[in-house]
Amino acid sequence: MGLHDRLKVQQEGNGVAVVSGDALGRPHAHEDTQERMVDPYAELKTRIHHACIAKLGPELFKRETTEDLSERVLRTVTEQLALDRTPLTREERRQVTREITDDILGYGPLEPLLRDDSVTEVMVNDFDKVYIEREGKIERTSVTFVDNAHLLRIIDKIVSQVGRRVDEASPMVDARLPDGSRVNAIIPPLSLKGPTLTIRKFARDPYTMDDLISFGSISPKAAQFLAACVKGKLNVLISGGTGTGKTTTLNATSAFIPGDERIVTIEDAAELQMQQEHVITLESRPPNIEGQGEVRIRELVRNALRMRPDRIIVGEVRGPETLDMLQAMNTGHEGSLTTIHANSPRDALSRLETLVLTAGVDLPLRAIREQIASAFDLLVQISRLVDGSRRITHITEVLRMESDVITLQDVFVAKPPDEETSSMSRSSRLLTPLLCTGLKPHFLEKMAAQGVVLPAAFFEQDDAGLRPSFAAASYGGFK
């Protein structure tokens, strides 16, 4: 027992009132500045929950009667709450009933956050510390779990629905919700404070290119150019940092693939929402508890080549599968799309080289760069600005090798505004709109061979001073 605690006990024994903190009411340095939020109904909800589980039993696992099960659970919760005889107001009773029902049928305290379309990310740091991202800003919520066991139960429910597991032998897991939202969970002993959960929510209706234009993320002219490039079977690489909206852009861009083409998508956790009908969705598989049965993206890319694809879409390249993706693009599988983590178009090419080297092939650097220059036609760079908005900053053509360097040519670019254009509008304070540089791409003949022709006047340079600004939504980018 420390000196402060012994003095406190002694003063309480002498009848002296003890005030926490100093005379000015400031808390002690060792005290947590953020008090833990305590749920006054935690014990009641746990008791009713256990009673309902005992009464309903195996009926909870009958998936063919979802609507009837919801009514049955609601009725059982109401009955058990009435039998408990705990004095509650009408509003408290309605709230407790809803929370217990969400806990049994859904994802417990997370349900209101998942139903809220304005929430784009849910971050559970601890069972009583839940943060959300709304309009690009992070804020703490009043949502809490009962304890770590409650949070762990919800995590297990999420990952078990997609055939994955999380335990001490496998304390990290990537999964997805039924709507495609991305889920990451990490539990002790790797997470020292307790189970941690991160959910990147996806919109109920996938964002289209029109939505990205209305958000101010891309200009109408650049959107028309991207649509023509996809229809013209160019190989496109979308790059950006974490949370910049690469998957959202990939979704919106892939909508321009003709509906009569066979598409194979390959991802770690299937989250792409394709609009076409002729789509084959492949998902990698982690190893089982014995460490066997792992299927990596690299094997899926190789298998996809035997499935007669017109287009191969890899959700993200982050390892040896990059080499197989380059081989596919160089052997007739044109019009393929993929994403990569990088902060600029030049960094994206450097990272491709690094990822190819992880495949263990002993190739000279020039040969790798020639493969990259031959495989990709277009780079789309996305950035997240300090105000939370997401903007496409570069649409860049990948040219051939010059000496030992891959040359790039910007077709559309958004630059930081100078003094003359900084007063254009609020949405242009950080970056100007995406403007055409006036340079004509070299792949127009390749597009014309696919029946896609852009007029010669399309690439005339835009005048930044006369061009109208694009209205940015409150979020300014991908929600």
Side-chain angles (χ1 to χ4, degrees), residues 63 105 107 156-164 176-178:
R63 298 186 179 181
L105 294 174
Y107 304 120
D156 192 56
K157 179 184 287 189
I158 292 174
V159 301
S160 61
Q161 287 180 341
V162 291
R164 305 205 173 184
R176 68 181 188 278
L177 296 180

Side-chain angles (χ1 to χ4, degrees), residues 15-26:
V16 180
V18 180
V19 180
S20 178
D22 59 16
L24 298 177
R26 292 191 294 263

Side-chain angles (χ1 to χ4, degrees), residues 126-127 145-153 193-195:
D126 205 347
F127 72 89
F145 292 82
V146 176
D147 51 22
N148 282 332
H150 184 200
L151 173 56
L152 196 56
R153 190 167 67 245
K193 287 188 175 181

Side-chain angles (χ1 to χ4, degrees), residues 352-474:
L352 281 173
E353 295 174 20
T354 306
L355 294 178
V356 169
L357 292 174
T358 63
V361 294
D362 191 15
L363 287 174
L365 207 55
R366 180 177 176 84
I368 295 174
R369 289 177 178 172
E370 286 178 347
Q371 289 279 308
I372 293 172
S374 176
F376 287 104
D377 300 298
L378 198 68
L379 270 169
V380 179
Q381 178 67 39
I382 314 171
S383 294
R384 176 171 178 163
L385 308 184
V386 293
D387 62 352
S389 62
R390 278 87 158 175
R391 293 281 302 275
I392 293 178
T393 58
H394 295 80
I395 298 179
T396 304
E397 180 187 10
V398 181
L399 298 175
R400 296 304 175 208
M401 294 278 294
E402 287 188 8
S403 183
D404 286 338
V405 180
I406 303 174
T407 54
L408 299 177
Q409 173 178 289
D410 290 333
V411 183
F412 288 84
V413 66
K415 300 178 180 178
D418 52 27
E419 294 181 359
E420 297 179 359
T421 59
S422 60
S423 59
M424 287 171 56
S425 71
R426 181 177 62 84
S427 62
S428 301
R429 288 175 186 171
L430 299 174
L431 282 178
T432 62
L434 198 59
L435 303 177
C436 189
T437 59
L439 300 174
K440 188 179 292 186
H442 293 68
F443 49 64
L444 294 180
E445 293 183 3
K446 181 178 178 180
M447 293 171 59
Q450 301 293 333
V452 179
V453 179
L454 289 172
F458 184 87
F459 298 99
E460 291 180 357
Q461 185 172 6
D462 293 318
D463 190 342
L466 301 177
R467 188 171 183 81
S469 61
F470 302 100
S474 58

Side-chain angles (χ1 to χ4, degrees), residues 114-133:
L114 297 177
R115 285 194 290 259
D116 188 350
D117 290 336
S118 66
V119 175
T120 55
E121 193 117 15
V122 179
M123 296 153 281
V124 184
N125 293 2
D126 205 347
F127 72 89
D128 59 349
K129 292 180 182 177
V130 180
Y131 293 83
I132 61 170
E133 182 187 62

